[in-house]
Amino acid sequence: MALSRRQDAGLLVLRAGTGGVLFAHGAQILFGWFGGPGLAAASVGMERMGFHPGRPSALLAGGSQLAGGTLLAAGLATPVAGAVAAGAMAGAVAVHTPGGFFSVSGGYEFPALLGWTAAALGIAGPGRYSADHLTGHRLNRPRTARLAFLATAALTAAVLRRRAARLPHGPEEPTP
């Protein structure tokens, strides 16, 4: 079933908004734009959050958000963009989980929303008003979506497992 022009316009607005926010957050990490920490400080912050080594972790997180956001906004390689952005946001959710759900208490509400939205866009596709549409959807195929989401899920799981192994697991038991 073909999407109506109104649905295509809605996908464009959702892609542009979500992609713009992801781009801005990635630019904060990588370049210090928009009041962000920049790569050096983000590298230290990543180490403090349990992502080692810090610099490659910051490059991966910031790069995933910047590239995923840019591609989502353009509607280019939409399944890959959605999967990559969702994976980056899964890492952010893991960091914010101790704060509970709501962002007012430092929780994961905002990164979860970005991640779910990016994933939904990756699955739904970009609509008619997109670079994917202009290229005949060469990078927006069902197989591309399956591979992108499977690869991102595997990489995200590996990164989060590695982080969890480095984090303290509560108070140490006193030695007798």
Side-chain angles (χ1 to χ4, degrees), residues 1-110:
M1 175 171 105
L3 294 175
S4 71
R5 291 189 190 279
R6 189 169 122 206
Q7 289 169 318
D8 288 325
L11 286 169
L12 171 62
V13 170
L14 189 58
R15 282 194 349 263
T18 303
V21 170
L22 287 163
F23 170 88
H25 199 264
Q28 285 183 309
I29 294 169
L30 295 177
F31 311 123
W33 295 357
F34 312 114
L39 187 56
S43 299
V44 172
M46 293 299 275
E47 294 247 352
R48 284 191 196 129
M49 291 183 281
F51 295 99
H52 298 276
R55 184 176 173 83
S57 297
L59 284 168
L60 183 61
S64 295
Q65 292 171 44
L66 187 104
T70 301
L71 292 171
L72 271 179
L76 180 62
T78 305
V80 175
V84 166
M89 290 299 97
V93 165
V95 168
H96 290 278
T97 295
F101 178 73
F102 293 103
S103 60
V104 70
S105 60
Y108 60 90
E109 171 186 18
F110 183 63

Side-chain angles (χ1 to χ4, degrees), residues 79 140-147:
N140 179 36
R141 306 240 187 242
R143 182 174 184 208
T144 305
R146 282 191 300 274
L147 290 174

